[in-house]
Amino acid sequence: MSKIHVTTKVNGDEVEYLCEPRETLLDCLRDHLDLTGAKEGCGTGDCGACSVTMDGRLVCSCLVLGAEAQGKEIATIEGMAEDGALHPLQRKFIEHAALQCGICTPGILVAAKSLLEKNPDPTETEMRYWLAGNLCRCTGYDKIIRAVMDAAAEMREAS
Amino acid sequence: MALDGPKQDFKYIGTRPERPDGWDKVTGKARFGADFSMPGMLHGAILRSPHAHAKIIKIDATKALALKGVKAVVTRADFPEGLEGEDWNIQENVMAGEKALYDGHAVAAVAATSQLIARDALKLIEVEYEVLPHVTDVDKAMAEDAPVIREGAADYSVPEGMHPNVVRYMESGRGDLEKGFAEADLVIEESFTTEAAHQGYIEPHACVANLGADGKGDLWCCTQGHWFVRQMCTAVLGLEATQLRVTPSEIGGGFGGKTTVFIDPVALALSRKAGRPVKLVMSRSEVLRATGPTASASMDIKMGMTKEGKITAASGTFRMQGGAFPGAPVDVTTMLAFANYDIEHVHHVGYDVMTNRPKQAAYRAPGAPMGAFATESVLDELCRGLGLDPIETRLKNAVKEGTPATFGPKFPPVGLIETLEEARAHPNYSVKLGPNQGRGVASGYWMNWGGETSASVAIGDDGSVQVSIGTVDIGGSRASMALMAAEAFGIPYENVRVSIADTGSLGINEPTHGSRATFASGLAIIEASREATRKLCQRAADKWGIDADAVTWEDGCAKPSGPNAGEFDPLTIAEIAAEMGSTGGPISGHHESTPDGFGGSFGTHVVDVEVDPETGRTTILRYLVVQDAGKAIHPAYVEGQFQGGAVQGIGWTLNEEYIYGEDGRLQNPIFLDYRVPVASDLPMIDTVIVEVPNPGHPYGVRGVGETGITPPLPAIANAVRDAIGVRMKKLPLTPPRVLAAIKARD
Ligand code: FES
Ligand code: FES
C-alpha cells in the first residue's frame, strides 16, 4: 500500500504527513498531527463536530480526504485562541454556560467564527440556520445562540 | 446522618461562575474518549450481525488472521462461560453466543495495526448464519405465534400461559377502580404508542484497553460511571474487580446510555489476546444499531373525572420492549404514570417484553416519558371534555407533602404546586394564539436517586482545596462541586480544584445517573469538607492551647468562639495549611455513604405550536420549562438541564424514532435519517427555577437532570391537539402522520 505525502498549513504552521488514500482530513488531523480538537460524531457530514476551515471555507473534515489538504490552509479549534487569549466566542461560550458536555463545542465555535467573518451582524434566525449543521444534544441551543449573539455584539463594538 | 435542615444563607451557592474546565473545553484541549492513545496501541473493529435473528453456525477467521497487520480476533469463545443473570445478559450483548439477537449484534472482533486494516479484516471473517424468524414490535412479540427470542428468560413474576417473550410482569394499585369510575362525570379510555428514541450523545463510545495475561489491566473510556464499567467488565471477563483500573475520559454526552458497557469488554479481550493496548471507537451507525436506545411502549389508559375537575380513578396497562434482553423500564413507567396526582383509586399493569432489537439502556428519566405521554394526554382530553383549564385542574389534583403517592409512600416536601403556579403566572401562558396554533400543558416527575458515593477533600500547602469525586462531569458539575466546597470551606471558588478520580483512587461511586451527581457527590463533598474544617479547627485550638470545642470555622478561618475561648486573631486556612507538616501532618476529609434523602423533582411545561395544514409539520413557537431544583447551586447549568431535557423531549415527540424494515434491520442508522433537533428547529427555551428545598441535602439540592424530558411528549401532543382538533396517540408526530390526521378530520 503506498501512502500519500501531504504538505499543508494548519493554524499557520507548515506541516506534513503520510496518509492512506482513504483517510479523511479528520483522521489525519487527529491521528497524524495529534490535533484531537475536531471530533468525529458521525463521519457522514451530519453533526458538524469535525468542523474546520479549509482556505477559509467551513467544511466537515470527515468529508474531506486527507490528500485534498495538499497546499491548503487549514484552521482548527486549536488555532482559535491567539497569544494565550481566548477568542470572544470562546469567552462568551464559557460565560453563558453554552456547553454542557463540550463535545460539540469545538465544531460549533469554528462554525460560528466562520459565520461572523461573513456576517458580523446576523439575526437569530440566520444564526440558527448557519448552525443547523452542528448538532448539540445537551443544551437545546438556547445558550449557544445567546453566546454567539453576545460575542458578535462585542466584536462589532471592538471593530 | 444528622442534617440540621437545609442551609438558607449562601455566599457562593446560587452564583454563576465560569466552569473550571471551561478553558480546556473551548480550546479543544479536553480529552474525550477517542482522544486518548498509547504507545504500541492497536486498533479494534467489531463485526456485527446483518440479521435480526439468526443462529450462528460457524465463524471462520482464518483469512482475517492471515491479513498483514492483524494481531488478534476474538469471538464468544474468548469469554468465560457460566455467567448468570445480568452478568450473562451483558456478556451475551457485547458478544453473541449461539444466536445473533438483533441487527448489529456483535459476533466477532479484530485488533490490527491500523483502523483501516482492522475494518478490512472484518470483511474476511466468514460467518455462517441460519436466519430465524424475528419480531421487533412489542405487541406482536406478545402474540401467540411470535418467534421466541429466548426460552426461560422470564422471571417468577410472569403468570403462567403468557408468551415466553414476556419476561417480567407487574401489577400495583389501591382502592376500588369500579367505585372510582362510577363517581366520575366523564371517563376516557385511549391507547397510545411511543417509539424507541436514542440518547443521541454526539460522542460515540470509545475506549483504550490494556489487559495483561496476568489479569491486571487498565481501561480508559468515556462513561458515566467507571465503577459500573469495572464491575461489568471484570464480571464479563472473569477478572478480579480491583485488578482493573478504569479511568474516565471527558464524556461527550450520555443521558443514561453510557451507564453500561458495549465495547469495553471486547477491547479488553482483544488486548489480552494480542498482548498490546487496543483502542476501540464506535461509528455512529454502530451506536444507533448496537447500543441501547430507550424502550418503545404500547399503553392503554383509563381515567375518570368529576365535572369539578377531581380525578376519581385511573388505570393503565403498559407494555414495553427493551430489546433482546429483560430490562425495559416498565417498573418506572407504572410507578410514575399517575404520580403527579392524588388519586384514591388507581391500578397499574406492566409487561416487560423481549424483541429482536438492541438491549435498551437508560435514557433520561428512563420509563417516565412514555407513561406521561399517555396519562397526561388523557388528562388533557378530560379537561377538554369538561371545559376545564389544564393548569387549574392539575392544581386541584396535584400531590404535595403528605399526599400518599400512587406508588405507595407519602410525599416529602415537593414542588409540583409551585411549578404549576409559576407556569400559570408566566407571560407565555397568556400569549394570544393565531390560526393553526395551539397550546399544551403537561407536568412530569422524577424521583431522583442517591446511590453509592465516596468523595475526598485535601488541603494543599497553600490553603487551596483539592476535591476528588467519582461522578464524571457531564454537564458542568465540576462547577457545582467547586461551589459547594467553596461554600463549606468559606474560601473563594477559584481556590478549589475538582478532579474526577479513577477507580484506583477512591471508593465505589455509582455513575452520574438518576440525577444524583450534584445531590450525592455534593452532599459527600460538604460532609468531607466539614470533617476537614473540624481538623483545621483542632490545629488552631492546639496552637492557641484551648479546647477544640471553643473554635469555630467561619469564612475560611478558624476563630475562637464562646465566652471563655480567649482572644486570638483568626487563623486562615492558608496559615494553618502552611504549618500542616509540623502540626500533625496532611489535612483531608472524606465521606462515603448511600444517601437516601434525594428529593424528587416536579416540572411543568407550557408549549405553543403551529401546525402547517398543508404539510403537517409542527413548529415550536415558544416553550416554557418550570421545574423544582430544591436549591440551584449553579443556576446557569440548572437552566441548561431544563433546556436540554425539553429539547430531547421535543425530538422524541416530533422526529426521532427507530424504524425497522420488514427484514428486521434498522432503516435509519445515521444522523441524517435519525433526525435529532437542530438549532433552526427551535425557539429559545424559557426557564423558571422553582426552589422548594430538599430536607435530605445540607443545601437543599434536588437532582434536576431527568424530569425535563418527561413533560414535553404530552405537552406537545396536547398543543397539537389544540391546534388541529385531533388527538395524536402515536409518537413521533411526524409531518405525514399529522397530515393524515388532518385529512381524516376533514
Ligand atoms: S463527524 Fe463530520 S459531520 Fe459528523
Ligand atoms: S454540549 Fe454536549 S453536545 Fe453540545
Side-chain angles (χ1 to χ4, degrees), chain A residues 30 39 90 99 137 141 143, chain B residues 26 35 199 639 656 677:
Chain A
R30 293 178 54 85
K39 310 295 179 192
Q90 292 173 308
L99 53 140
R137 191 58 160 172
Y141 306 100
K143 291 182 190 299
Chain B
V26 299
D35 302 339
Q199 298 81 352
E639 292 161 4
E656 296 175 36

Side-chain angles (χ1 to χ4, degrees), chain B residues 546-568:
Chain B
I546 63 174
D547 204 58
D549 291 347
V551 181
T552 58
W553 191 263
E554 222 181 277
D555 290 334
C557 298
K559 292 178 184 169
S561 81
N564 306 320
E567 293 277 315
F568 301 101

Side-chain angles (χ1 to χ4, degrees), chain A residues 1 20-23 27 30-31 34 36-44 46-47 49 77-81 84-86 89-91 93-106 109 124-125 127-143 145-146 149, chain B residues 16 18-19 22-23 25-32 34-35 37 43 116-117 120 123 198-204 251-253 255 279 283-284 363-364 473-476 634-637 639-641 643-645 647-648 651 656 670-672 674 676-680 682-686:
Chain A
M1 236 176 305
E20 300 274 351
R22 290 185 283 169
E23 279 180 305
D27 295 331
R30 293 178 54 85
D31 300 339
D34 286 334
T36 56
K39 310 295 179 192
E40 179 163 322
C42 67
T44 51
D46 298 313
C47 78
I77 186 66
E78 285 91 346
M80 198 158 172
L86 294 181
L89 277 163
Q90 292 173 308
R91 262 193 294 109
F93 265 58
I94 301 178
E95 213 175 290
H96 285 266
L99 53 140
Q100 287 180 27
C101 78
I103 193 86
C104 67
T105 310
L109 285 168
E124 183 190 328
T125 306
M127 231 171 252
R128 286 184 178 277
Y129 276 91
W130 183 271
L131 293 177
N134 290 82
L135 301 181
C136 173
R137 191 58 160 172
C138 298
T139 64
Y141 306 100
D142 181 301
K143 291 182 190 299
I145 300 296
R146 286 177 204 275
M149 291 205 285
Chain B
R16 300 173 177 236
E18 295 185 354
R19 63 192 286 169
W23 189 286
K25 289 195 171 144
V26 299
T27 54
K29 283 190 196 139
R31 292 218 287 176
F32 290 84
D35 302 339
S37 32
H43 296 263
L116 292 174
I117 297 175
D120 287 344
K123 295 182 198 131
H198 196 275
Q199 298 81 352
Y201 32 82
I202 304 303
E203 179 199 37
I251 175 170
F255 315 106
K279 180 173 189 166
S283 69
R284 176 56 50 185
Y363 180 22
R364 207 168 200 152
D473 180 354
I474 205 163
H634 191 307
Y637 290 102
E639 292 161 4
Q641 288 298 315
Q643 292 165 333
V647 169
Q648 286 189 318
E656 296 175 36
I670 56 169
F671 270 146
L672 186 64
Y674 183 90
V676 306
V678 303
S680 55
L682 298 161
M684 292 298 186
I685 308 293
D686 305 322

